[in-house]
Amino acid sequence: MTDAARPHQTFNWLADIPEYHGLWSWVSSIDHKQIGIMYILSALGFFLAGLTLALIMRIQLMVPMNHFVSQDAYNQIFTMHGTTMVFLVGMPLLFGFAVYLTPLMIGARDMAFPRLNAMGFWIFFFGALLLYFSFVGGGAPAAGWFSYAPLTEKGFLSNPGIDYWALSLLVMGIGSVATGINLITTVLTLRAPGMSLQRVPLFVWMILTTGILVALSLPALNAAIVMILFDRLLNTHFFSPAHGGSAILWQNYFWFFGHPEVYILILPGFGVVTEVIPVFSRKTLYGASFMAASTVAIGFLSFGVWMHHMFTTGLGFWTLYIFALSSLLIAVPTGVKVWTWLATMWGGSLRFTTAMLFATAFIIQFTIGGLSGVIQAVIPLDWQLTDSYFIVAHIHYVLLGGMLFAMISGIYYWYPKVTGRMLSERIGKWHFWLMVLGFNGTFLVMHLLGAFGMPRRVWTYPYGMPMVSAMNFFSTLSAFVLAFSIGLFFWNMAYSFIKGKIAGDNPWDAWTLEWACSSPPPPENFDRLPPVRSRRPLWDLTHPPEDSGRKPGGQL
Amino acid sequence: MKDRVTVGMLLFVASEAVFFLMLVLAYVNFHKQTGETAASVLDPIKTGVFTVALLSSSFTMWLAEKAREKESNSVAMWLGATIILGGIFIVGQGLEYAHLVMDKITISRDLFGSTFFTLTGFHGLHVLIGLVLLLLLLGLSVFGRKHEPTNIGMQSIAIYWHFVDAVWIVVFSTVYLWRYV
């Protein structure tokens, strides 16, 4: 608190808060709200970079035998696109939401370790710059976002690209572990009086599980990256089959991290949607304890499915079947979630704001992505479809149609809280429909392309393959619609920051604690906390106990 | 719920456990090719002696913790003993490395070198970090104010130190004692 004697002053615009004036106040900040905003802004910045790389790929694939970029450049571009979207967009976006919202939602002043929080951000930021520095520092990495050995050995890729990839991911990995630990500790130790773990918002449950996955899976990647760095810099032989090393070992390490990583990315998205849907359905969440329990089940199972990424490496019969079974099993708690979202909307008074539209599209698109995942848990189908465009379609339905749609829904929902201004609903609706059109146009056909046999990461394709060039052309056109809709989104965020309607404390009539403080929240968060007697403290404020029988809202 | 520093340290130790698990698995994965080299170049007796030093340092650390809780003035003494025992271990590891390198067994020679030096090297690094933390505690207990080092500070660094010891038990059993199985 800057000055205890000063009467509590509220602001209605982020740019009005004197504590946040000037670059230095941001660079030196340990305020979880500023760090959260910086995470999200850098994620959005890197998203533009990743999107540009994607468009270059789509232009290259628009027509057969195209020479828009060289083969070598193409390898660097798809590697950087994948790495950027997973580590420089997905991770900081979810950390931004997590560190901004978690303390507010549990009624805390800040994170458990504010300085560690700042370290986590800056270590991410410079790690990310290090990755992009590779373009001018001798060539970008070119072995795909999962950098399979032995391609990553020095004998095959001698330029420093993989070294940059490994160093940057190691640096960011250490920062992620720190932030994961910080988030868990915050949820476990800093909850407001009365807020038992049964009463925290479901978003916080998802963040808690994500934090656990981060803290226990990122170290596996860090260890594997140390080994690959040693292979390249100290001439060790971990992943080099020529010297007795094992390329499969890298795959095991990478996917032991990589599959929990998928859930690290998607769980916060689940959390966002789980907050948005009840508010715009005017109902409590259906089966809230099932939602929390299925999250924990997903977290637990996600450590036992990694080998389904390796079905074609010649695993034994039992390994194949055990991992096929566990991969099918993880669809069950995920299905429970889809069910609870639908059941929450069922019979509610739905308000289709842009946030709600994105949440609804998320449910549909994520279900498609989930189902195409289940298809790949079936071993013969996986053998047929692996490393094809079907996989590209699957990952984009999960991470773009799923995670990113959920996160954009979250941005429409919480932007008023963060900035004090409403996003334009008119631009928002245009953004939504164009993005749905562009996204599905780009990626739905990729299922077919994959089934027709187009391999992923291929630089070009010959003339005369039936439908392949037509579908690629269509996909590229749709990608430009998608990019245009993202342009509208950025314009909306910039325009509404200046011209948007003043939001007020609680523009959506929501129930969780972050809406109890002013918009934007003052640096010290809460003057006085409302009493927490249920999952919906703000509902309880306006609905005294004798009133709560009308809706099943007040009680747990 | 416990204090946040303790919770944070416990979580950190859990994540470090995964990191070491991966390094140990790498060693185990190549044991078929490297087991013979390990049996012929490593000396479990000599390293065993240094192992005893490291394990006793956990005991002196525990005594230092107890002393701090009872506000007794033997904190500095037990911390000092812990640092000396940890230091003996590091010196022992240094001597062992020097001996191996003189015999032309380096990190890049073969898979044994790769897995052995990576695993034990990272453990040694963690011991060194622990020694720095212990020196800070010692400095605080000698020159600090009355309440320093705090109970929580002592406890959380003790958690880390015990963890480093526990990791060594696993590493020592895997790398040095496997030949007797």
Side-chain angles (χ1 to χ4, degrees):
Chain A
M1 259 165 249
T2 47
D3 182 5
R6 192 188 68 186
H8 183 58
Q9 205 182 344
T10 54
F11 299 96
N12 60 21
W13 196 29
L14 186 64
D16 281 342
I17 298 180
E19 282 89 341
Y20 296 169
H21 281 173
L23 184 65
W24 184 246
S25 92
W26 291 84
V27 173
S28 65
S29 174
I30 54 167
D31 181 333
H32 74 101
K33 296 182 290 302
Q34 284 180 294
I35 292 169
I37 292 170
M38 289 192 289
Y39 261 125
I40 292 174
L41 286 181
S42 8
L44 291 173
F46 285 116
F47 179 67
L48 285 188
L51 184 70
T52 311
L53 295 169
L55 287 178
I56 294 173
M57 281 190 277
R58 277 322 316 168
I59 295 172
Q60 165 64 25
L61 293 173
M62 186 157 63
V63 289
M65 302 309 287
N66 201 355
H67 282 79
F68 183 68
V69 288
S70 70
Q71 281 124 310
D72 190 42
Y74 190 81
N75 290 347
Q76 297 183 13
I77 286 167
F78 72 66
T79 302
M80 286 297 280
H81 167 76
T83 311
T84 301
M85 289 307 196
V86 172
F87 294 100
L88 274 56
V89 178
M91 297 292 276
L93 201 54
L94 78 89
F95 281 143
F97 273 82
V99 304
Y100 190 98
L101 291 171
T102 307
L104 286 171
M105 282 183 163
I106 61 174
R109 163 72 183 80
D110 206 311
M111 298 281 286
F113 310 109
R115 278 181 187 77
L116 188 69
N117 193 25
M119 188 202 86
F121 170 74
W122 288 107
I123 212 174
F124 148 76
F125 188 72
F126 285 101
L129 292 186
L130 185 63
L131 183 69
Y132 268 81
F133 185 73
S134 65
F135 274 119
V136 290
W145 81 276
F146 41 70
S147 284
Y148 269 4
L151 181 56
T152 45
E153 294 291 314
K154 232 177 170 157
F156 296 98
L157 283 174
S158 56
N159 78 18
I162 298 294
D163 301 328
Y164 280 111
W165 183 89
L167 272 174
S168 137
L169 258 60
L170 183 61
V171 167
M172 290 191 287
I174 292 166
S176 301
V177 171
T179 309
I181 290 171
N182 206 346
L183 285 166
I184 306 171
T185 313
T186 306
V187 177
L188 290 184
T189 61
L190 295 186
R191 295 190 311 278
M195 184 166 281
S196 61
L197 270 180
Q198 285 83 34
R199 288 182 188 165
V200 297
L202 267 301
F203 177 82
V204 174
W205 261 103
M206 313 272 178
I207 292 303
L208 179 63
T209 314
T210 300
I212 294 170
L213 293 184
V214 168
L216 297 184
S217 75
L218 261 300
L221 177 69
N222 292 347
I225 279 180
V226 163
M227 291 179 210
I228 212 167
L229 271 177
F230 281 10
D231 270 10
R232 292 179 62 88
L233 304 176
L234 302 178
N235 297 316
T236 58
H237 312 298
F238 289 103
F239 305 125
S240 140
H243 299 87
S246 164
I248 296 292
L249 186 65
W250 167 263
Q251 295 194 17
N252 273 306
Y253 282 151
F254 189 87
W255 292 117
F256 181 79
F257 145 78
H259 207 82
E261 168 71 10
V262 176
Y263 290 96
I264 290 168
L265 291 171
I266 197 73
L267 281 178
F270 287 172
V272 168
V273 170
T274 310
E275 294 302 317
V276 167
I277 287 180
V279 166
F280 294 112
S281 307
R282 308 313 301 159
K283 276 174 72 190
T284 46
L285 186 73
Y286 175 91
S289 40
F290 276 92
M291 185 58 96
S294 63
T295 306
V296 178
I298 287 177
F300 182 72
L301 285 171
S302 71
F303 282 104
V305 297
W306 80 92
M307 279 203 182
H308 69 214
H309 295 271
M310 303 160 59
F311 278 165
T312 50
T313 54
L315 303 167
F317 178 86
W318 284 107
T319 319
L320 278 177
Y321 278 84
I322 287 167
F323 279 92
L325 196 70
S326 64
S327 309
L328 292 171
L329 203 61
I330 204 166
V332 175
T334 315
V336 168
K337 287 191 183 317
V338 174
W339 170 257
T340 54
W341 292 321
L342 292 179
T344 305
M345 290 172 78
W346 188 262
S349 10
L350 302 180
R351 288 186 293 171
F352 278 107
T353 59
T354 311
M356 183 64 165
L357 285 173
F358 271 99
T360 313
F362 159 86
I363 299 180
I364 299 166
Q365 289 164 176
F366 177 76
T367 305
I368 296 175
L371 287 176
S372 63
V374 172
I375 287 173
Q376 284 155 73
V378 181
I379 297 157
L381 285 172
D382 180 88
W383 284 347
Q384 178 65 32
L385 295 169
T386 195
D387 268 339
S388 76
Y389 258 80
F390 192 87
I391 305 289
V392 180
H394 165 67
I395 193 176
H396 285 92
Y397 264 86
V398 174
L399 292 185
L400 208 174
M403 185 216 181
L404 192 67
F405 267 68
M407 287 311 196
I408 291 177
S409 163
I411 289 177
Y412 275 93
Y413 181 60
W414 280 297
Y415 185 94
K417 176 52 63 188
V418 175
T419 63
R421 293 287 187 272
M422 306 293 286
L423 279 171
S424 156
E425 283 288 312
R426 196 171 51 87
I427 307 177
K429 298 240 153 90
W430 275 101
H431 165 211
F432 171 74
W433 287 110
L434 286 173
M435 191 162 170
V436 167
L437 214 67
F439 163 72
N440 287 291
T442 311
F443 295 103
L444 199 60
V445 289
M446 285 187 188
H447 292 104
L448 283 175
L449 279 171
F452 284 10
M454 180 162 163
R456 74 192 291 192
R457 295 176 175 175
V458 73
W459 169 65
T460 192
Y461 49 93
Y463 287 102
M465 291 174 77
M467 297 303 289
V468 166
S469 40
M471 285 194 293
N472 268 308
F473 191 76
F474 180 73
S475 175
T476 300
L477 285 189
S478 306
F480 277 95
V481 176
L482 177 62
F484 177 72
S485 76
I486 298 295
L488 278 182
F489 177 44
F490 277 76
W491 166 247
N492 195 358
M493 283 189 289
Y495 173 82
S496 300
F497 190 73
I498 313 287
K499 294 276 170 87
K501 271 203 322 247
I502 292 172
D505 292 0
N506 190 359
W508 311 120
D509 271 330
W511 306 303
T512 39
L513 274 186
E514 78 272 25
W515 302 100
C517 52
S518 63
S519 306
E524 61 275 14
N525 287 359
F526 298 96
D527 241 6
R528 205 164 50 83
L529 274 172
V532 182
R533 296 197 201 88
S534 76
R535 277 210 184 89
R536 308 201 296 170
L538 299 203
W539 170 275
D540 297 345
L541 276 187
T542 45
H543 300 75
E546 63 272 18
D547 203 30
S548 67
R550 277 191 302 163
K551 275 201 176 186
Q555 59 275 72
L556 277 169
Chain B
M1 204 62 208
K2 277 181 142 180
D3 174 80
R4 62 183 167 180
V5 177
T6 318
V7 173
M9 184 54 89
L10 284 170
L11 290 166
F12 174 66
V13 160
S15 82
E16 288 281 90
V18 176
F19 182 83
F20 275 107
L21 177 70
M22 296 299 143
L23 297 183
V24 171
L25 284 176
Y27 185 88
V28 171
N29 184 57
F30 295 118
H31 181 261
K32 242 182 230 160
Q33 290 129 280
T34 62
E36 245 171 68
T37 323
S40 65
V41 301
L42 296 177
D43 183 354
I45 309 294
K46 212 187 273 177
T47 312
V49 173
F50 293 116
T51 302
V52 171
L54 188 65
L55 297 187
S56 358
S57 79
S58 246
F59 182 62
T60 53
M61 185 72 222
W62 179 73
L63 288 174
E65 265 183 281
K66 289 289 143 203
R68 176 67 192 83
E69 269 168 40
K70 279 185 259 163
E71 315 257 323
S72 122
N73 46 16
S74 52
V75 178
M77 183 181 80
W78 291 122
L79 280 175
T82 312
I83 293 169
I84 290 170
L85 287 167
I88 289 175
F89 175 82
I90 280 294
V91 171
Q93 194 175 29
L95 292 174
E96 184 188 27
Y97 274 23
H99 184 74
L100 287 172
V101 171
M102 241 121 56
D103 287 349
K104 300 270 186 306
I105 296 162
T106 60
I107 193 165
S108 59
R109 191 186 81 148
D110 58 6
L111 270 172
F112 170 74
S114 303
T115 50
F116 171 81
F117 282 107
T118 307
L119 176 56
T120 56
F122 266 101
H123 179 265
L125 178 69
H126 280 74
V127 175
L128 270 180
I129 293 168
L131 286 176
V132 172
L133 295 172
L134 288 172
L135 279 170
L136 290 175
L137 285 184
L138 181 65
L140 280 173
S141 69
V142 175
F143 303 109
R145 281 164 292 178
K146 195 170 171 293
H147 62 281
E148 287 170 340
T150 60
N151 248 324
I152 288 162
M154 285 285 283
Q155 275 168 17
S156 55
I157 290 174
I159 292 172
Y160 175 81
W161 190 253
H162 296 318
F163 165 73
V164 171
D165 273 15
V167 169
W168 183 250
I169 294 176
V170 176
V171 173
F172 185 72
S173 316
T174 324
V175 177
Y176 293 83
L177 302 182
W178 197 331
R179 69 176 82 172
Y180 301 116
V181 178

